[in-house]
Amino acid sequence: LAFEPKSAFLLELRKKFRRQFLADIKTRPPAYIVLVSRDIHPLDPVESSEQARRFTEFWNIVSSQYEPEITIGDMELYRRIPPVRQSGS
């Protein structure tokens, strides 16, 4: 979902996958989201946590509906905020 498309076809494919992913996460929000840091390798030189932050629509969901719970090694766990607290009540 975070790959950089090298062609118009891949750009459209990424858009399609992103739309489906966002629809799924909005319909069935997971209790936790895990982001991984320091997972850079030659085929993907940007760590996963940074890619998640660059995926603006996804990051908006994470930052508004989840809160950091714990970091374990290279993994950041975000827990879903109960809907009552999300609305500011």
Side-chain angles (χ1 to χ4, degrees):
L1 295 173
F3 69 92
E4 290 301 320
K6 304 293 185 201
S7 69
F9 171 76
L10 291 177
L11 178 61
E12 288 306 312
L13 190 61
R14 181 178 77 170
K15 286 180 184 178
K16 176 184 173 184
F17 288 151
R18 283 184 169 192
R19 279 192 304 271
Q20 184 62 52
F21 174 74
L22 292 169
D24 289 348
I25 203 169
K26 289 175 184 174
T27 303
R28 294 181 307 276
Y32 286 90
I33 291 177
V34 179
L35 300 180
V36 180
S37 300
R38 294 188 289 245
D39 60 340
I40 296 171
H41 55 83
L43 296 177
D44 203 353
V46 179
E47 59 187 42
S48 299
S49 61
E50 178 60 26
Q51 290 180 26
R53 287 172 178 84
R54 292 180 185 181
F55 182 0
T56 307
E57 299 90 338
F58 173 66
W59 187 247
N60 289 341
I61 292 169
V62 174
S63 62
S64 66
Q65 298 178 23
Y66 291 79
E67 58 190 1
E69 177 152 303
I70 191 169
T71 299
I72 303 170
D74 295 338
M75 296 180 293
E76 301 170 79
L77 276 69
Y78 290 79
R79 184 196 325 211
R80 187 164 182 261
I81 300 169
V84 171
R85 286 185 45 210
Q86 287 179 29
S87 64
S89 301

